Amino acid sequence: MNDSPAIAEAVAAQRDFAAGLFDDLRALSIDEPGVTRDPYGEGENKAHRQFALVARECGFEVSTDFAANSFATLPGRDRAAPRIVIGSHLDSVPHGGNFDGAAGVVAGLTAMRALRSLGVEATCDLTTMAIRAEESMWFRVSYLGSRAALGTLPTSALDATRVDTGRTLADQMRECGADPECVARGDASLAPESVAAYAELHIEQAPSLLVDGLPMAVCTAVPGNFRYPNARVIGEYNHVGLPRRFRRDAVTGAVDVASYLDDVWQANEAAGRPMAVTIGQFFTDPEQHSLTHVPGEVRFSLDVRCYDEAQLASLEADLLDALAEIEARRGVRIDLGPRTGVPVGTMAPELIAALTESARRQDVPSILLGSPGSHDAAAFAAAGVPTAMILLRNANGSHNPDEAMEIDDFMAGTTVLTDWLFNAVSDAASLR
C-alpha cells in the first residue's frame, strides 16, 4: 500500500546525496562561465565515471552498453521481466548549465535509494540510465545514445562529424570504448520490448512554471522536428553599386526565408497550434564578405518543431513551396542540404494520469505541459515504449550557465517520481 508520508520522508532523507552529486558533476566539468560535458569526449566521460562510482557505492549493479551508455540497476524478483528505466543525459552544450540532463540521472539514483530504504520489493529490475550524446548541436543528429541503445539510430549517423573536432561519431565512440559496429548492425542493448516504461525528469526550458509559480509539470508531449543543419542561399557576388534589378543578393534571399518562417510561426501560435522556429546560424563567408560587395552566399541552420505530426509535415511542405517562390523572386538558389528529423514524442496517457495522481497524493502542485525542448523520452516513445516526463521549474532557461533549478523543486519532482515508482515496480506488467 502506498504510504505517501513515508515516501516523502524517504526522498527527503536523500537531499544531501542529491545535492552532493550535483556539486560533484559540476566540479568535474567546470568550464567557465558554465560547464561543458562534450559527448563522446572527456567531459562526458568524466560524468559517466562519476555516475558509475556513485552507483557502485550505493550498492547498485553497474553496467555499460556498446554505445557507452551507463546503467545502475536495483534488481527485481524477476530479472527476465521488462524493466522500468528512469533516465536522462549527462552531456551538455558548451559552457552550459549543470542541470540540463543531469537532473534526470540524479533523480533516478535518488529515487532508487529512497525505494530501497523503504524495503520495496520490485517485481522487475529498476534501472537508472545515464544516456550519451543527447545534445544534438555537437553532431547535429538527435538522441544518439538513446536511439543506439534502442536499435533505432540510423547507420548514417555514424558518419556525422562533431562540430569542434571534425571527427566522425564512429571515431569518437571508439575512443570512448564504444562499438559503432553494433550500431551499424542495428543491435539493441535495450530492446523496446524489454522496457516496461521509461520516465525522465528534466528542467523546463521555458519560464512557464516560473510564471505560474509551480514547482513541476507532468509533460504531455515532446515536439518532433525537421532540421537542415547546413542550408545555403546561393546568389551572385557583385559590386556594391549594382542596380537592384540585376542583383542576386543572397542576404535578401535569406532574410526573406527568415521572415517567412517568423510569419508562419506567428500565424500558427495565433491559431492555437504551438510550434517553434530557430535559425541558429546565419552568416556570410568571412573570406568573401565586405562593405562594398553584394553577398553571393549565406549559410544558415534551421530547426522547426511542433507537437503534431500532420502539422509538422504541412509546415515542411509549405516551406518548400515558399522557398521556390523566393528563389524565383530573388534570382537565388536555396540548397537546404542534408535533412534530419525526429517524430513527435507523445507521452503515454496512462502514465500522465498516474504521475498526476502521484503529485496529488504528495501534495505537489502541478499542471500538464508540453515540453518546448527535445528529450531522449521522445526516442523511447517513438520506439513504442510507454513513456512519461516530469518537468521542473527552472529560471533563466537552459543551454546557458545560468540555469537556476532549485533543490526544493528537484526534491518535490523526485518525490512524485518515487511515489509513482513505488506503485509501478510492484505491478510492472500492467504498464504495457
Side-chain angles (χ1 to χ4, degrees):
M1 182 176 295
N2 188 310
D3 186 341
S4 298
I7 292 171
E9 290 173 11
V11 176
Q14 307 301 322
R15 185 186 182 99
D16 288 346
F17 165 80
L21 184 47
F22 280 126
D23 288 345
D24 290 344
L25 289 170
R26 177 175 174 79
L28 286 169
S29 51
I30 193 73
D31 184 19
E32 295 294 354
V35 302
T36 300
R37 294 192 277 262
D38 53 312
Y40 290 112
E42 188 54 28
E44 188 184 56
N45 289 344
K46 288 179 181 178
H48 278 256
R49 286 195 291 266
Q50 184 65 19
F51 170 83
L53 174 66
V54 170
R56 287 193 181 95
E57 289 175 347
C58 292
F60 301 133
E61 293 182 359
V62 176
S63 61
T64 59
D65 69 2
F66 61 79
N69 295 303
S70 300
F71 304 86
T73 297
L74 180 64
R77 285 201 310 270
D78 184 355
R79 302 303 307 272
R83 68 178 69 188
I84 296 174
V85 178
I86 312 107
S88 196
H89 60 100
L90 283 178
D91 62 318
S92 77
V93 299
H95 309 290
N98 194 41
F99 304 120
D100 184 343
V105 177
V106 177
L109 292 177
T110 302
M112 284 165 54
R113 284 169 58 96
L115 290 171
R116 186 176 58 187
S117 75
L118 291 166
V120 172
E121 185 177 6
T123 60
C124 66
D125 285 1
L126 175 58
T127 296
T128 294
M129 180 181 183
I131 302 172
R132 290 276 184 167
E134 187 265 1
E135 297 291 1
S136 58
M137 59 79 50
W138 293 92
F139 289 96
R140 298 184 175 185
V141 181
S142 298
Y143 315 141
L144 292 173
S146 53
R147 287 200 287 170
L150 292 162
T152 59
L153 184 65
T155 302
S156 59
L158 295 170
D159 296 324
T161 55
R162 216 174 85 169
V163 294
D164 58 337
T165 66
R167 300 179 63 203
T168 66
L169 172 62
D171 286 342
Q172 297 274 175
M173 289 180 73
R174 288 190 191 95
E175 191 172 88
C176 295
D179 186 354
E181 281 68 35
C182 292
V183 175
R185 289 196 302 266
D187 292 353
S189 64
L190 201 62
E193 62 271 16
S194 73
V195 184
Y198 172 84
E200 181 169 354
L201 179 146
H202 202 284
I203 59 172
E204 191 199 2
Q205 295 167 295
S208 302
L209 291 171
L210 192 69
V211 170
D212 291 342
L214 296 171
M216 62 155 278
V218 177
C219 182
T220 55
V222 174
N225 65 54
F226 62 84
R227 288 171 165 171
Y228 293 96
N230 298 299
R232 297 186 300 159
V233 178
I234 303 162
E236 185 178 276
Y237 289 102
N238 219 311
H239 185 269
V240 67
L242 190 70
R244 189 177 187 278
R245 68 182 185 276
F246 299 122
R247 290 194 180 209
R248 294 183 174 88
D249 189 326
V251 165
T252 56
V255 167
D256 283 355
V257 174
S259 179
Y260 164 79
L261 288 164
D262 191 53
D263 288 345
V264 167
W265 187 0
Q266 186 176 30
N268 275 266
E269 289 284 351
R273 297 187 295 268
M275 60 170 293
V277 173
T278 302
I279 298 176
Q281 295 176 308
F282 192 93
F283 58 94
T284 52
D285 183 353
E287 298 295 323
Q288 296 266 17
H289 64 202
S290 74
L291 178 64
T292 59
H293 211 182
V294 176
E297 182 177 19
V298 169
R299 292 179 177 267
F300 67 99
S301 64
L302 177 61
D303 177 301
V304 178
R305 57 183 57 195
C306 69
Y307 299 95
D308 179 84
E309 289 290 350
Q311 180 189 4
L312 195 64
S314 177
L315 288 168
E316 188 165 17
D318 290 347
L319 170 64
L320 297 178
D321 289 342
L323 296 186
E325 187 277 327
I326 292 169
E327 286 180 318
R329 175 160 45 83
R330 291 292 186 182
V332 298
R333 180 168 64 89
I334 301 174
D335 176 12
L336 289 175
R339 178 196 185 280
T340 64
V342 292
V344 174
T346 302
M347 302 297 100
E350 64 275 16
L351 299 188
I352 292 174
L355 283 172
T356 300
E357 175 60 18
S358 288
R360 185 201 62 76
R361 261 196 310 266
Q362 292 296 334
D363 198 26
V364 176
S366 70
I367 56 172
L368 299 181
L369 188 66
S371 171
S374 299
H375 306 289
D376 288 300
F380 281 86
V385 175
T387 301
M389 281 195 76
I390 290 173
L391 302 174
L392 296 182
R393 174 168 51 192
N394 166 59
N396 307 324
S398 72
H399 290 189
N400 70 74
D402 298 321
E403 290 173 2
M405 180 197 74
E406 298 289 342
I407 192 67
D408 285 347
D409 292 341
F410 172 81
M411 298 307 296
T414 303
T415 300
V416 172
L417 175 67
T418 307
D419 184 283
W420 170 71
L421 286 169
F422 185 95
N423 296 309
V425 296
S426 66
D427 189 19
S430 67
L431 297 173
R432 273 191 170 269

